[in-house]
Amino acid sequence: MINASSALKIVLENAPLLAVENVSLLDSLGRVPSHDIIASQDLPPFNNSSMDGFAVASSDLRRASAKHPRTLKVIGESSAGRAFAGKVTSGQVVRVMTGALIPKGADAVVPIEKVVECETERVRFLESPKPGQHIRSRGEDIRRGQIVLKSGMPVTSAALAVLAACGYSRLRVRRKPRVSILPTGNELVGITEKPKRGQIRCSSSYALAGYVEGAGGIPKLLGIAPDTKSRLRKGIKAGLDSDVLLVT
Amino acid sequence: MINASSALKIVLENAPLLAVENVSLLDSLGRVPSHDIIASQDLPPFNNSSMDGFAVASSDLRRASAKHPRTLKVIGESSAGRAFAGKVTSGQVVRVMTGALIPKGADAVVPIEKVVECETERVRFLESPKPGQHIRSRGEDIRRGQIVLKSGMPVTSAALAVLAACGYSRLRVRRKPRVSILPTGNELVGITEKPKRGQIRCSSSYALAGYVEGAGGIPKLLGIAPDTKSRLRKGIKAGLDSDVLLVT
């Protein structure tokens, strides 16, 4: 008897690739792309703040502490979708919101909870921030040019977000395989029938159909084939125009 | 802040039940039935053989061994779908196929590999079978009247087989919830657009849509709502005729 992994290998080596369809991003869920998908840009696309607070040059606050607070000047605001256009230089900070672009010259974010705000224009810092703190760096999740989804790997919900972030609104995917299921056996009757003595309802084909659907195929239940040569031949013939024929 | 389990409890306590639909068995995959589903019969529905071999009365072979073989008479055959109508009495056996009904009088199956077949009509046994061996007993998987699927639990592929075996060709299930997703934020642009400095493509809503679909809902992506009262109000209004509105 042939073992399962050898059988799978033979099947995969002999299975032709299915035709390619161009579908909308949402419709690609659970489908398999026909080619490797490459990140078209760095993600995140720019250094941005992971906290509401102040973007600072960490060197400016190297000696700041509760005993020796340092007061810096607020020169502007960077909010999500409205970036601060200027540059942070010594003695200056920019108010930042979560997700906002980190202005030039700044290399750390001090969360709003950690500062004593004296006036709208001036802020007192009680701690020395580490360079890079509370900053999500450009490309720290994904680098431009990196493969984000390999050909033949199913598109997951999480992958949808990455693909959307990269601007893929449509995807080339393989068409779903059509899988015919042929239940065979003299003991089988249809599920709406009442089985006589020694008969059972044809049930496993429904489970198979469910698994096919769950795996991204299109199941088709063929009628029951009793154990005679001619009826089996007829059933098998009916399933041969599918991509896969499962005979139970 | 409210924790996740308390929040879930509040949501579930206040969520109205969705309307009931009557769908075909295959279409019920992943849906939730509106009522407990009861086994209409024992499964397996009758004692049947798990092996090809001979149905015997185990008491008949109590002293059979390789040294003292016992020869019994074959009085008929029980195959899947064609049950043997008579009864096994002392000195007799019935040839059985896998899945076939165990004839009256027999309480064990001796696999074909374990016997020495002398003639078509007579079989020599070299072992003493245990009562019940190689017999799948009526109701050993599921008892008539047992709940096979609780109201509100999703129909899995495996459940489809049980439901089919019980003769359920249609099922009353809750309709799929319609879930609107409203992405908000000044920094967001559509996935076909090229983000300007500090902007990002609206991506997480696609992941949410995928998860909604995976969980059996019908996702609907609303347009991006920027951070203004009027645009947010408009967006929320557009989502209120769904069963669920997710605001990011």
Side-chain angles (χ1 to χ4, degrees), chain A residues 41 81 157 161 165 187 201 203 210-211, chain B residues 41 81 157 161 165 187 201 203 210:
Chain A
Q41 58 171 94
S157 294
E187 76 277 27
R201 292 195 185 91
S203 58
Y211 289 121
Chain B
Q41 58 172 95
S157 295
E187 76 275 27
R201 292 194 184 91
S203 58

Side-chain angles (χ1 to χ4, degrees), chain B residues 87-103:
Chain B
K87 193 184 159 181
V88 173
T89 55
S90 185
Q92 302 181 329
V93 299
V94 164
R95 188 185 298 269
V96 288
M97 307 303 169
T98 303
L101 186 138
I102 302 292

Side-chain angles (χ1 to χ4, degrees), chain A residues 78-210:
Chain A
S78 191
S79 65
R82 190 175 299 174
F84 177 76
K87 195 186 159 179
V88 173
T89 54
S90 185
Q92 301 181 329
V93 299
V94 164
R95 187 185 299 271
V96 287
M97 307 303 167
T98 304
L101 186 139
I102 302 292
K104 278 179 201 152
D107 69 345
V109 169
V110 178
I112 187 94
E113 307 90 294
K114 299 276 183 175
V115 304
V116 183
E117 199 156 346
C118 315
E119 307 154 45
T120 331
E121 302 285 299
R122 307 191 77 76
V123 182
R124 193 146 38 133
F125 292 89
L126 307 175
E127 285 182 11
S128 172
K130 287 200 189 95
Q133 81 171 26
H134 304 307
I135 291 179
R136 300 186 281 224
S137 307
R138 174 174 179 155
E140 85 173 32
D141 294 332
I142 285 166
R143 288 260 163 222
R144 181 181 172 164
Q146 189 182 324
I147 294 174
V148 288
L149 197 59
K150 283 194 85 68
S151 158
M153 298 297 291
V155 177
T156 62
S157 294
L160 286 183
V162 178
L163 297 169
C166 288
Y168 289 104
S169 60
R170 300 189 71 81
L171 226 59
R172 278 162 49 222
V173 297
R174 299 282 166 196
R175 74 164 168 76
K176 294 184 172 197
R178 289 181 297 259
V179 180
S180 283
I181 298 161
L182 178 66
T184 72
N186 287 329
E187 76 277 27
L188 299 181
V189 299
I191 61 171
T192 56
E193 287 178 61
K194 192 166 171 58
K196 296 199 191 88
R197 192 161 168 271
Q199 294 183 322
I200 55 170
R201 292 195 185 91
C202 163
S203 58
S204 56
S205 45
Y206 285 84
L208 286 175

